[in-house]
Amino acid sequence: MIDFLSREQSSASSTNFAALEADDYIAKIVEVDATAQKQKYDSFIKRGRVADLSQLPADEVEPTVKVTLLVYGTKSGDAMKDVEGKVAEPLSRRAYKDVSPYGGFNRKSGAPSDYRCLFGYALKQDPVKPFAATGIEDIMGKYIGIELIINKNGNNTLKAFKKVPESFMPNSLTEETAMAKYQEQKAKKASTAPQGELTTSTQDIPW
């Protein structure tokens, strides 16, 4: 059985914020998911091209790294505000970005890919130069610079990863309080999600 909430229940369990002003920010990496975007590949099945995802040609399966961050504050140190002029508390807003793990350098500009910048800046390395990382666990909980813009729908889009200022030092109490609230919100969202099993065939794609 799959349970769906009423409109009133869904509204009560959700929090809608106005977008943050377009600016450079500092954010904390709280989740990194290296599994494939399964929703893209389900369409192959629906159109009858393949019986299940394991039959997809390798070149039609593109892994992605989904990054979730909590925005701590502006890079400049000014108050973090939304487009309505309201002050946003540190680590109270989320930012997201899907990153291709295959990126190296842009062929035309020579700029490092988002993937290199994600690891490089989180580990305080120059993404243009050689560096090494053990895996995703190396960047979990790290701070990184991000550029947020406002898209045509009026929402924030994470445009680029950037360097964190050397002088940045997060407040430990603020972190502890915000992370506890984040975990509470995650648990609440999980408990109000539709319950039950779906029969769509899926397959995790290694990165």
Side-chain angles (χ1 to χ4, degrees):
M1 182 178 72
I2 302 176
D3 298 322
F4 293 91
L5 298 178
S6 68
R7 181 172 60 184
E8 290 75 15
Q9 288 173 316
S10 296
S11 298
S13 63
S14 65
T15 303
N16 295 318
F17 293 109
L20 292 173
E21 294 177 332
D23 203 347
D24 285 345
Y25 294 87
I26 298 172
K28 182 182 179 70
I29 300 171
V30 293
E31 289 185 42
V32 183
D33 180 4
T35 60
Q37 289 183 306
K38 301 180 184 67
Q39 65 270 24
K40 284 186 177 181
Y41 312 130
D42 288 343
S43 62
F44 284 95
I45 298 174
K46 292 175 182 177
R47 293 199 297 268
R49 291 185 58 180
V50 292
D52 62 71
L53 295 179
S54 64
Q55 296 182 24
L56 283 176
D59 60 354
E60 291 189 293
V61 179
E62 183 181 0
T64 189
V65 177
K66 296 175 178 248
V67 186
T68 303
L69 311 95
L70 294 182
V71 186
Y72 187 91
T74 62
K75 182 179 179 180
S76 65
D78 295 337
M80 182 166 64
K81 296 181 180 180
D82 62 26
V83 293
E84 297 176 351
K86 297 178 181 178
V87 176
E89 295 298 319
L91 301 174
S92 65
R93 302 298 187 89
R94 301 183 192 185
Y96 308 89
K97 191 168 184 64
D98 290 351
V99 181
S100 169
Y102 293 136
F105 294 91
N106 184 287
R107 291 183 179 180
K108 293 183 178 180
S109 67
S113 68
D114 287 334
Y115 190 62
R116 287 186 67 98
C117 289
L118 169 64
F119 275 83
Y121 291 132
L123 298 175
K124 297 183 178 181
Q125 300 292 321
D126 184 343
V128 175
K129 297 179 180 179
F131 67 94
T134 304
I136 286 174
E137 62 275 11
D138 288 1
I139 64 173
M140 286 296 298
K142 301 290 187 181
Y143 281 91
I144 191 170
I146 61 172
E147 179 185 356
L148 292 182
I149 61 173
I150 300 174
N151 59 36
K152 63 181 180 180
N153 296 319
N155 301 317
N156 285 128
T157 294
L158 200 168
K159 183 179 180 181
F161 296 114
K162 297 188 173 184
K163 183 179 179 180
V164 176
E166 295 290 340
S167 59
F168 173 71
M169 183 65 66
N171 182 287
S172 58
L173 180 58
T174 298
E175 275 192 311
E176 183 180 348
T177 303
M179 290 307 298
K181 185 175 182 180
Y182 174 71
Q183 295 300 335
E184 180 183 346
Q185 290 173 339
K186 276 188 62 180
K188 184 176 181 181
K189 183 177 180 180
S191 67
T192 57
Q195 300 298 310
E197 293 186 0
L198 299 179
T199 57
T200 303
S201 173
T202 60
Q203 175 184 342
D204 286 344
I205 310 299
W207 64 292

